Amino acid sequence: MKKMRLFSWGGSSALLLSLVTAPSAHAQDWVRTGTNLGAQRIRIAAANFKPGSADSETGSLKQVFDQTLFTDLQNAGIFDMVSKSMAPPLTPGSQGEAQLATWAAAPANAEMLAFGTLTVNGGQLAVTGFLDDTKNTQSPQVLGKQYSEAASTQSARHIAHRFADEIIERLGGLPGIAETTIYYVSAHSGTKEIMAMDYDGQSPRAVTHLGTISLSPHISPDNARVAFSSLGKQGWSIRMYSLELNRPVNFNSPAGTTLSPAWSSNGAQVAFSSDRPAGDSEIYVSDAAGNGVRRLTSFHGPDVSPCWNPKTNAQIAWVSGRTGLPQIYTMDSDGANVMRMTDGGYATSPSWSPNGQFLAYAWNRKYGPGAPGGQDIYIMDVASRRWIQLTHDAGRNDFPTWSPDGRHIAFQREGEGGLQIWTMLADGSEQQPLTHGGSFSQPNWSLK
Amino acid sequence: MRSALRPGTTLGTKLEERNYFKENSVTQPVRTASWQGRKLSLIGLAALLAVAGCHKKASPPPPPPPVMSAPAPTADITATPAAINAGDSTILTWHTTGATDVSIEGMGAVATSGTQTVRPTDSTNYHLVARGDGGTADATARVTIGTGNNNNANSGRMNEGDIDDATFHQNVKDIFFDYDSYEVNAPSASVVSQDAAYLNQHAGVKIVLGGYCDDRGSTEYNLALGENRANAAKQALVAAGVPAERIRTVSYGKEKQFCSEHDESCYQQNRRAQFTVDR
């Protein structure tokens, strides 16, 4: 698990370095927000897979698989997708059937081709998938993968995610995010519960059933526990739910108003906000069980919403109202070296990018009674404090959260569709809702 | 070249980690294919080198030993009321900090902070012991059992705790805050002094101070701001002579609104510290 993360960081910094030396496709965009964003995209075709069996179940599972694979590659943000309508008439199922020249030619003009066979046999779903370089006639195969799981819509989707992530990792240099999870809050008749869904909004499932108001879910880096704050008889405290044991586990939380837990990326520490015992909300850090509490801030006014620099765990960004309206600040993880990052307005909900370079946050730069300001998502380069605005004129946006590959940001948007969770690429493009109906907020993207 | 060999190893290791499904890898080594050679060789090589470099750190260093200096625990416990008649109940309220192991003699292990209704038959010392990494702290609350009429005052206070909400709200008014502020402003200060006068006359009533915010702004920040509002109102009451032990604060942020219209009169209704009887 640890290995995976080091892996992505290593790849990420190397890619950023190399991007600096490469000419950018968007020269006016000083900030290279995510790896490969802004680089020229690889044109890839995802062929419909060839059915290896003739029953109706094969057909329906194949439809789910084909759609999921295409969407995952499209969502990755690094590919120029060949429309399905441009596919040559023959559906290849094996290397022998892949007429690469027809895919390389107009209108498809594909540089890479993903294809394969999907079979249902004795309740098992078996998928063989290939990735070919259409221009390499001698030895075109880049990837070959076989998967087998008990046949279900869920497993068809899961296998597509795994194959897509293999392709994305091979061609994009970083593990894909198709197997990641987003945790969030669902409001229903006066209560708020923690839920989880796949990165693409599929398979929403309830995590808590507490019948109270639970907020600010934050998933541990090993995906084993979700921390959140919950309203009980003694006020707000931090609670911990084990996804392995499917029950709450102990976290020695102060009562009073204890809010906004944030795991360090090594899983060893949790930062949070509490008014106990100081009588004024401050940022604290404890171990993963809530013990060994250390106080980091001591300034009158609200202090809340800490987040760690996941690259180093040596810095924390948070929100403080010490000078009036809330602003984003950073400090070392021992409380030293406090720096104010935003220069006015109403700035909240910081989220530190996986490579440590950027803060995403919500900002209303013209906040006040009667002021026309909108609450939008921004990202700031931590070193230079230069920022860019990612959302424009579309509802009230808050709680940005980075995908583990640093290419995507999920956030909540309150607009005409109600309060929903959206996703976009980290340059602000390709915004799309992940939830529909209901009332959903405070997304938190898993680290893997 | 070393980097050309590494990806296979990396992928192989990764597959072993994902051992929850059967999977046969038929991966072939990466080819320096035309698309790579054209525009991605630099990126690809840099990434693969970084991957290889990082991968060698197979076992990450263990997390640094906890260097936090554990603060000495604190403990306090009160019984309200402290004197009761035999057969009546009293409420123990305790609060500890920096403790991992908290117990009350005769009751065993308890939460680090909490309340408990007890019904002692004889005068009793409730001895709270808080043990933590930084040491041990203790505190004692004594509940004395009186007989008959020499405890009239106390039994009167017990009845005050059962004050009905209408009477309470007639006499203890909510206070309202300016936009994005947690300072008790001048109009609110005069309300607070009236509230404090009533509460000082009815010493058996314990209250919950709820802090609320209007619907604008961010959920988490508003909870912290509501907490500051409740604490500001509490400090004002304490300054006016109401014992801090009788006041409990809870922030509701913008989670429980009076009204939901998006206009200033509704916003003002929601920016409040609300008093309720703590039962």
Side-chain angles (χ1 to χ4, degrees):
Chain A
M1 302 163 185
K2 182 79 179 191
K3 211 178 297 171
M4 289 279 291
R5 224 170 34 246
L6 283 169
F7 182 90
S8 82
W9 288 343
S12 144
S13 48
L15 279 160
L16 279 166
L17 278 175
S18 56
L19 277 173
V20 169
T21 61
S24 169
H26 304 285
Q28 82 285 1
D29 190 358
W30 58 270
V31 70
R32 291 174 183 85
T33 48
T35 29
N36 288 22
L37 297 183
Q40 193 175 343
R41 294 181 172 204
I42 299 164
R43 187 157 169 88
I44 189 170
N48 286 334
F49 271 44
K50 187 173 182 178
S53 44
D55 53 301
S56 62
E57 191 183 12
T58 304
S60 66
L61 292 185
K62 199 181 85 62
Q63 196 174 5
V64 170
F65 177 90
D66 287 339
Q67 182 59 47
T68 305
L69 179 63
F70 187 90
T71 310
D72 285 349
L73 295 176
Q74 189 169 46
N75 287 343
I78 57 170
F79 297 121
D80 175 19
M81 298 300 294
V82 174
S83 163
K84 294 259 186 194
S85 65
M86 292 179 182
L90 182 73
T91 301
S94 64
Q95 285 293 356
E97 297 168 3
Q99 298 172 349
L100 294 176
T102 65
W103 292 87
N109 295 318
E111 293 172 286
M112 305 296 286
L113 171 67
F115 65 99
T117 310
L118 182 146
T119 310
V120 179
N121 194 356
Q124 281 293 111
L125 171 62
V127 173
T128 305
F130 301 99
L131 178 70
D132 277 14
D133 179 347
T134 62
K135 304 284 171 58
N136 187 329
T137 49
Q138 290 300 308
S139 185
Q141 183 172 318
V142 177
L143 267 181
K145 288 281 163 186
Q146 290 183 2
Y147 305 90
S148 179
E149 287 183 31
S152 69
T153 309
Q154 189 67 25
S155 64
R157 199 177 283 126
H158 186 237
I159 290 173
H161 286 332
R162 293 167 72 199
F163 186 48
D165 275 350
E166 291 285 354
I167 295 171
I168 293 161
E169 179 166 2
R170 184 55 66 97
L171 299 183
L174 292 176
I177 54 158
E179 294 165 82
T180 59
T181 305
I182 294 173
Y183 292 81
Y184 60 105
V185 173
S186 167
H188 186 63
S189 56
T191 68
K192 293 187 176 179
E193 303 284 358
I194 308 302
M195 293 187 69
M197 62 185 169
D198 295 349
Y199 93 103
D200 55 1
Q202 297 290 324
S203 308
R205 56 240 182 225
V207 174
T208 64
H209 301 88
L210 295 170
T212 178
I213 298 177
S214 296
L215 296 172
S216 310
H218 202 276
I219 181 69
S220 65
D222 61 0
N223 288 343
R225 277 178 284 175
V226 57
F228 54 97
S229 55
S230 199
L231 180 61
K233 181 101 173 52
Q234 296 300 318
W236 293 90
S237 58
I238 290 175
R239 303 183 68 170
M240 199 67 83
Y241 190 89
S242 167
L243 299 164
E244 291 169 337
L245 305 173
N246 284 315
R247 62 171 175 80
V249 291
N250 184 52
F251 185 85
N252 188 21
S253 172
T257 303
T258 301
L259 303 167
S260 62
W263 286 94
S264 63
S265 69
N266 57 11
Q269 292 181 294
V270 178
F272 56 85
S273 161
S274 181
D275 74 314
R276 302 288 168 85
D280 181 48
S281 63
E282 304 288 358
I283 305 297
Y284 294 81
V285 167
S286 74
D287 69 14
N291 297 319
V293 176
R294 282 183 296 143
R295 176 169 160 179
L296 298 189
T297 59
S298 50
F299 208 95
H300 194 51
D303 288 289
V304 71
S305 307
C307 72
W308 299 77
N309 177 341
K311 174 92 182 223
T312 62
N313 289 317
Q315 284 173 292
I316 288 175
W318 86 104
V319 176
S320 180
R322 57 187 61 188
T323 61
L325 290 177
Q327 305 295 323
I328 309 284
Y329 291 76
T330 61
M331 61 182 160
D332 295 347
S333 58
D334 60 0
N337 202 13
V338 170
M339 311 255 274
R340 178 166 162 177
M341 303 302 283
T342 49
D343 58 2
Y346 186 109
T348 55
S349 314
S351 174
W352 215 309
S353 70
N355 65 12
Q357 192 182 350
F358 301 105
L359 286 172
Y361 58 102
W363 205 5
N364 185 336
R365 298 184 56 233
K366 295 191 170 63
Y367 186 77
Q375 184 170 304
D376 284 297
I377 306 298
Y378 289 73
I379 57 173
M380 177 184 282
D381 177 60
V382 174
S384 68
R385 291 187 219 172
R386 297 175 74 186
W387 46 260
I388 55 170
Q389 182 175 351
L390 298 186
T391 63
H392 299 265
D393 305 320
R396 293 198 294 179
N397 304 276
D398 202 354
F399 294 103
T401 176
W402 291 86
S403 66
D405 65 358
R407 289 180 183 136
H408 306 255
I409 292 173
F411 58 102
Q412 75 176 44
R413 168 171 289 169
E414 189 169 18
E416 286 172 7
L419 183 59
Q420 303 296 341
I421 292 171
W422 286 61
T423 185
M424 62 185 167
L425 293 182
D427 60 5
S429 65
E430 299 185 26
Q431 297 180 13
Q432 52 177 314
L434 292 180
T435 60
H436 306 272
S439 176
F440 305 106
S441 57
Q442 295 196 297
N444 176 249
W445 212 313
S446 66
L447 281 187
K448 61 173 190 174
Chain B
M1 213 174 115
R2 194 179 57 139
S3 59
L5 294 175
R6 278 285 171 182
T9 351
T10 310
L11 280 177
T13 314
K14 225 183 117 218
L15 288 177
E16 281 162 34
E17 287 177 358
R18 297 182 186 168
N19 55 2
Y20 44 91
F21 293 108
K22 191 175 73 181
E23 180 173 38
N24 300 312
S25 171
V26 286
T27 308
Q28 293 188 349
V30 167
R31 313 196 60 82
T32 310
S34 53
W35 60 272
Q36 254 186 340
R38 269 209 318 278
K39 59 187 174 247
L40 284 175
S41 61
L42 178 61
I43 294 173
L45 282 178
L48 292 175
L49 279 169
V51 165
C54 282
H55 183 67
K56 273 186 281 187
K57 299 173 195 161
S59 57
V67 289
M68 327 129 191
S69 56
T74 63
D76 71 83
I77 184 168
T78 56
T80 311
I84 56 172
N85 289 321
D88 286 341
S89 63
T90 183
I91 297 171
L92 297 176
T93 305
W94 66 93
H95 181 62
T96 66
T97 61
T100 52
D101 175 13
V102 179
S103 61
I104 296 174
E105 275 177 24
M107 292 165 62
V110 294
T112 52
S113 299
T115 61
Q116 173 86 44
T117 303
V118 293
R119 209 179 285 265
T121 51
D122 294 305
S123 296
T124 307
N125 286 330
Y126 289 93
H127 186 210
L128 173 73
V129 181
R131 292 184 190 82
D133 297 335
T136 303
D138 68 337
T140 302
R142 177 168 177 80
V143 178
T144 52
I145 305 295
T147 48
N149 49 15
N150 60 350
N151 271 301
N152 277 344
N154 288 319
S155 52
R157 287 179 188 182
M158 281 300 294
N159 293 336
E160 279 177 6
D162 296 330
I163 188 170
D164 70 277
D165 286 341
T167 311
F168 180 80
H169 287 301
Q170 266 171 21
N171 291 284
V172 182
K173 305 280 192 204
D174 296 347
I175 65 171
F176 296 90
F177 290 84
D178 291 339
Y179 162 79
D180 252 294
S181 166
Y182 52 90
E183 305 297 337
V184 178
N185 58 20
S188 291
S190 67
V191 176
V192 165
S193 57
Q194 291 167 27
D195 292 345
Y198 181 85
L199 292 170
N200 283 330
Q201 287 161 17
H202 301 77
V205 180
K206 297 178 69 175
I207 59 166
V208 178
L209 253 173
Y212 296 79
C213 301
D214 69 40
D215 191 46
R216 294 168 295 183
S218 187
T219 303
E220 286 178 357
Y221 185 76
N222 274 327
L223 281 167
L225 181 65
E227 153 56 33
N228 278 71
R229 284 180 175 159
N231 259 321
K234 176 179 174 177
Q235 294 311 320
L237 286 177
V238 169
V242 181
E245 304 83 65
R246 287 170 56 197
I247 308 166
R248 192 158 65 84
T249 58
V250 179
S251 175
Y252 295 102
K254 59 177 186 175
E255 298 302 318
K256 300 199 172 189
Q257 300 289 39
F258 264 4
C259 52
S260 57
E261 292 81 29
H262 292 286
D263 57 46
E264 184 47 40
S265 74
C266 171
Y267 293 151
Q268 179 62 80
Q269 289 287 305
N270 282 326
R271 290 196 302 268
R272 69 194 192 277
Q274 180 184 322
F275 298 80
T276 50
V277 180
D278 193 359
R279 295 195 165 88

